[in-house]
Amino acid sequence: MKKQYKILAMLLGIIVISCQELDLEPKGILGEPELFGNEFGVKKYFSGIYNDLPIEDFLYFGTDSENAYRPDNYWEQGKKSLGNMSGEFFNSWVGVDNDGFAYWPYGRIRDINTFIQNFAEYKENYKEDVYNELLGEAHFLRAFYYFGLAKRYGGVPIIKEVQSPLDDAETLEVPRNTEYETWKFIYEDLTFAIENMASGSEVGRANKYVAAALLSRTMLYAGSIAKYSQYLGFQGEAATAAGLAGMEASQADEFFQYCVEAGKIVEQGPYTLYTKDYPDKATNFANLFLDPTSSESIFIKDYDMTAPQNTRLRHSYDALMSPQPDMSSFVGAESYPPLDFMELFEMPAYVNADGTPVRFDNRSDIKNGMEPRMLGTMYFDGDELRGSTFSIQKGIYRSFNALAADAENGSSAASINSADNRILGGRGWTTEIDGVTYNITGAHGHFDDQGGENNGWGSAFIRKYVNPDMPTNDVREYRSGQHWVVFRLGEIYLNSAEALYELGQRDEAFNYIEMIRERAGATVTRPAIDMATTNIGTINNANYPYQVENSLQFIRDERARELYGENHWWWDLRRWRTADQVLNQFRHRVLSCYFVADEGKYIYIDEINRWNRSWTASNACYYEPIPWGEIGKNENLLPQNPLY
């Protein structure tokens, strides 16, 4: 959204006078003729609607109905990203919230319906193509809000016309549509948008390809939900029996096909995978998220790099991802990539075939042989940021003559971890061994004396979206202005690949995967089709109703690799109906680096996170409850969703 639109939206408030019986309009308030009667007025009207779109970016957190999508409450949102909530990042704040946050944006839907319903009165003011484009844009916006509803609640009331408060209760108390009808309504709105919108647009506003990208995402969600909801055991629930929470498995292919077709439309646009001439593929991947002119970005949410510092037109991502003492002037990094996700990428072995830890000459040798995309997603020891070098070490072993598994629990109860052999400490602490003084930790390592904040929790920090050009003194709350990539071609390729695989078109599916992996600098292989047994996202419970073919799991894992930290994983687990299994007492593992003093070598140990903290999601997470406050106003929203 352009700066001028944001400011006008805030200053003017954009209040539409829809009650024509009033004799006088309050001064200073714009009415429909001023807003709908010219293109600039429409853009101004849309600006507030864009600002509230359910885009889950730097500042999103899913348990606050009023502020979930607004960048105006740092302490309640800035630290609590969706990745933190689901375990995609590791930090010390929150776990999964099954109860949701009462997201109910019908006020904004009413604004859009007002425009759609009344815009025809001003048609003569526009060229036909401009009129159709603006009308198509309104349908795109409405579909986006309904997507935010459908992926949480299933079937919701489909309201296409502006309701009058003077209508009778029977008219106002709209019942829920079925989940199938809700997803099909999103399809219809986006199809209308694609057919009417232009192929180009201003930064921050949608065009036909943006609408197609949203269609790709929404229809993949709908297809998965239709196919896998049968395994939840909700058949006896009233909402399921009524078609409000769940769809027939036979309807899945319809949505998967819509997803594939939407992807083909996006491919007709001017977008290509981001492959600039940087020194390496890691830098290329990292810069994909920082380059506002990226050839891969289909739609971005813009923040304001020129806004005054410490304003709500900026965000705090750098302050929350960059460690002290020399890369941030704020409290230090608050989120870290767990080993569970690191191991989805190609990385070197840190345990030998005989079970002993691999010895490294330098801490940074762990990067040798890593997939470039992993290096573009995470910072490791020896990497540089803002003129400083990462130094990541947890502690020292006087000697290590044991298997890696003997030390993996990180507990001093293990003899190898006894206090006289494993030495831990705080930043700047030293110890003397055989007359030689050693630093116990790196500057960005695990600090035994400091509970959690400001410290590393593993051997990596987040690189994706971090701005390396910010002066360290400026790395504070509300000082970051980099944009958020809402849709990019890489995601669309992954959407198409998964949908094609579900439709039985496996070869074509892996054509997309190979393009993603080639750009990533990863090995390009096509896995055999057998049953999956490992990896994040895989069902390891033999009693769970369905298992996943290894090649489909590979596609799911590729999403976790490519889209890591982009707020997709939680929703993917939900639509696959695997969250209650994957996040069943899910305890993050961390990769900890130690110096072995009597060898002068470094080892890496797989440890359970320091606090043994777990994430758990029950199967109530698949449908959030219809807000009880709304049910109090409209009992036709019953029956409530399963398990509430």
Side-chain angles (χ1 to χ4, degrees):
M1 192 65 56
K2 285 192 171 181
K3 177 182 177 184
Q4 62 191 30
Y5 295 154
K6 291 179 181 176
I7 295 174
L8 283 169
M10 290 189 298
L11 293 178
L12 297 175
I14 308 178
I15 300 177
V16 177
I17 305 301
S18 58
C19 186
Q20 300 300 322
E21 289 79 13
L22 293 177
D23 294 325
L24 296 174
E25 293 184 353
K27 293 183 178 180
I29 297 178
L30 300 180
E32 275 189 10
E34 292 79 16
L35 291 170
F36 295 176
N38 64 87
E39 188 173 358
F40 180 76
V42 172
K43 291 177 181 178
K44 186 159 54 178
Y45 186 77
F46 283 171
S47 67
I49 296 171
Y50 270 103
N51 284 341
D52 286 344
L53 281 178
I55 295 170
E56 291 148 9
D57 66 326
F58 302 110
L59 296 157
Y60 165 81
F61 180 51
T63 60
D64 186 337
S65 60
E66 296 298 324
N67 297 308
Y69 300 109
R70 293 172 54 194
D72 59 1
N73 192 329
Y74 162 73
W75 289 109
E76 290 304 316
Q77 292 175 248
K79 291 184 178 179
K80 300 177 178 179
S81 75
L82 191 63
N84 299 145
M85 185 176 82
S86 66
E88 188 175 11
F89 293 161
F90 179 64
N91 74 353
S92 55
W93 272 269
V94 293
V96 175
D97 187 337
N98 290 330
D99 293 332
F101 61 103
Y103 180 63
W104 205 248
Y106 279 96
R108 278 304 187 194
I109 291 172
R110 177 186 176 86
D111 292 340
I112 299 167
N113 285 339
T114 297
F115 177 82
I116 293 173
Q117 181 172 303
N118 297 346
F119 189 45
E121 298 177 17
Y122 307 93
K123 187 173 183 178
E124 63 182 17
N125 296 0
Y126 296 88
K127 295 180 179 179
E128 184 176 2
D129 58 342
V130 174
Y131 175 85
N132 290 336
E133 289 165 12
L134 293 172
L135 195 58
E137 190 173 3
H139 283 264
F140 161 80
L141 292 167
R142 186 168 66 180
F144 212 138
Y145 281 100
Y146 268 98
F147 176 46
L149 287 164
K151 69 180 184 178
R152 291 173 172 82
Y153 306 118
V156 293
I158 296 175
I159 300 177
K160 303 178 184 179
E161 298 178 354
V162 180
Q163 294 178 306
S164 168
L166 301 179
D167 288 341
D168 56 41
E170 184 176 353
T171 301
L172 293 174
E173 295 176 0
V174 180
R176 295 168 66 183
N177 288 78
T178 66
E179 181 161 12
Y180 175 82
E181 290 169 341
T182 302
W183 289 107
K184 198 64 183 289
F185 176 64
I186 293 170
Y187 167 79
E188 291 165 354
D189 254 0
L190 290 174
T191 298
F192 181 92
I194 292 167
E195 291 173 348
N196 287 276
M197 297 176 76
S199 58
S201 62
E202 302 168 24
V203 174
R205 290 184 62 204
N207 57 40
K208 66 178 292 183
Y209 299 117
V210 177
L214 179 58
L215 184 60
S216 167
R217 184 185 294 179
T218 57
M219 295 300 99
L220 181 65
Y221 276 56
S224 301
I225 291 168
K227 181 170 183 177
Y228 296 111
S229 289
Q230 61 182 307
Y231 300 112
L232 296 180
F234 291 167
Q235 287 79 1
E237 296 279 345
T240 300
L244 305 176
M247 294 179 279
E248 297 294 329
S250 60
Q251 296 167 330
D253 284 358
E254 175 186 0
F255 293 116
F256 287 136
Q257 186 61 43
Y258 292 153
C259 173
V260 172
E261 293 168 357
K264 296 296 185 185
I265 295 172
V266 173
E267 291 178 51
Q268 297 169 11
Y271 315 103
T272 59
L273 292 181
Y274 189 74
T275 53
K276 287 215 171 181
D277 294 328
Y278 292 109
D280 55 51
K281 289 181 179 289
T283 303
N284 179 80
F285 191 72
N287 286 352
L288 154 63
F289 301 94
L290 301 174
D291 185 349
T293 65
S294 166
S295 62
E296 186 165 337
S297 295
I298 301 169
F299 184 53
I300 65 174
K301 179 177 178 180
D302 205 11
Y303 284 83
D304 197 336
M305 294 290 289
T306 64
Q309 294 179 348
N310 201 30
T311 73
R312 284 8 181 210
L313 297 179
R314 295 191 178 193
H315 56 83
S316 306
Y317 191 79
D318 291 281
L320 299 172
M321 294 297 177
S322 303
Q324 288 186 337
D326 40 21
M327 301 172 196
S328 172
S329 57
F330 193 49
V331 296
E334 306 287 359
S335 296
Y336 318 89
L339 177 59
D340 310 82
F341 286 89
M342 292 166 64
E343 287 190 330
L344 289 177
F345 296 87
E346 295 172 9
M347 62 181 295
Y350 53 90
V351 179
N352 293 310
D354 63 1
T356 59
V358 172
R359 267 57 175 182
F360 296 92
D361 292 331
N362 301 286
R363 290 186 303 244
S364 59
D365 288 346
I366 191 68
K367 297 186 296 183
N368 296 338
M370 271 188 185
E371 178 182 314
R373 177 174 50 179
M374 184 178 184
L375 294 170
T377 301
M378 307 169 192
Y379 283 118
F380 292 90
D381 185 271
D383 289 337
E384 292 188 1
L385 174 62
R386 304 186 184 104
S388 298
T389 302
F390 282 93
S391 174
I392 311 173
Q393 179 179 311
K394 180 173 182 178
I396 296 176
Y397 281 101
R398 292 179 182 272
S399 64
F400 196 98
N401 185 19
L403 301 178
D406 294 334
E408 282 182 359
N409 63 6
S411 169
S412 59
S415 59
I416 192 68
N417 293 336
S418 61
D420 62 348
N421 188 52
R422 187 180 68 160
I423 304 169
L424 304 176
R427 181 185 289 122
W429 288 24
T430 61
T431 188
E432 185 175 303
I433 301 175
D434 297 331
V436 179
T437 300
Y438 297 97
N439 290 318
I440 298 174
T441 73
H444 312 110
H446 309 236
F447 308 137
D448 192 52
D449 66 318
Q450 301 170 21
E453 194 169 68
N454 314 329
N455 306 337
W457 283 84
S459 294
F461 289 83
I462 303 298
R463 181 177 181 181
K464 183 178 283 189
Y465 276 117
V466 168
N467 180 4
D469 296 327
M470 288 186 72
T472 300
N473 290 338
D474 211 22
V475 182
R476 296 195 57 82
E477 63 273 42
Y478 290 126
R479 303 280 180 99
S480 296
Q482 58 267 46
H483 61 275
W484 178 264
V485 182
V486 183
F487 299 111
R488 62 183 178 93
L489 188 61
E491 182 209 340
I492 305 307
Y493 281 177
L494 289 165
N495 295 347
S496 296
E498 186 178 339
L500 284 164
Y501 193 95
E502 294 282 17
L503 291 167
Q505 300 173 47
R506 292 175 171 83
D507 286 341
E508 189 175 354
F510 273 95
N511 289 340
Y512 287 104
I513 297 300
E514 288 179 356
M515 287 189 284
I516 291 288
R517 291 184 64 76
E518 182 178 2
R519 190 270 299 276
T523 302
V524 178
T525 59
R526 297 196 177 200
I529 298 176
D530 53 21
M531 300 313 294
T533 58
T534 59
N535 292 340
I536 283 287
T538 302
I539 297 302
N540 292 313
N541 181 351
N543 296 319
Y544 200 66
Y546 82 89
Q547 288 185 306
V548 180
E549 291 179 348
N550 187 60
S551 46
L552 176 56
Q553 186 60 43
F554 189 90
I555 292 174
R556 292 183 177 185
D557 288 344
E558 191 65 26
R559 288 183 67 86
R561 289 183 281 266
E562 176 73 13
L563 303 177
Y564 178 78
E566 297 179 50
N567 288 342
H568 288 277
W569 191 61
W570 169 237
W571 298 112
D572 285 342
L573 293 181
R574 283 185 55 160
R575 66 182 176 84
W576 295 329
R577 304 322 201 195
T578 61
D580 64 304
Q581 295 295 309
V582 174
L583 299 180
N584 181 10
Q585 292 296 305
F586 169 55
R587 285 176 168 80
H588 282 126
R589 296 151 53 227
V590 295
L591 189 62
S592 301
C593 181
Y594 293 91
F595 179 66
V596 182
D598 66 350
E599 299 179 39
K601 301 287 186 179
Y602 295 89
I603 61 174
Y604 282 85
I605 301 295
D606 173 352
E607 297 180 338
I608 292 295
N609 67 79
R610 175 167 37 192
W611 291 342
N612 198 28
R613 184 172 172 226
S614 66
W615 271 249
T616 295
S618 74
N619 62 354
C621 75
Y622 297 117
Y623 289 99
E624 296 178 17
I626 300 294
W628 286 105
E630 299 301 326
I631 291 175
K633 294 181 283 187
N634 176 12
E635 291 188 358
N636 286 335
L637 296 174
L638 293 172
Q640 181 59 280
N641 275 336
L643 307 183
Y644 295 102

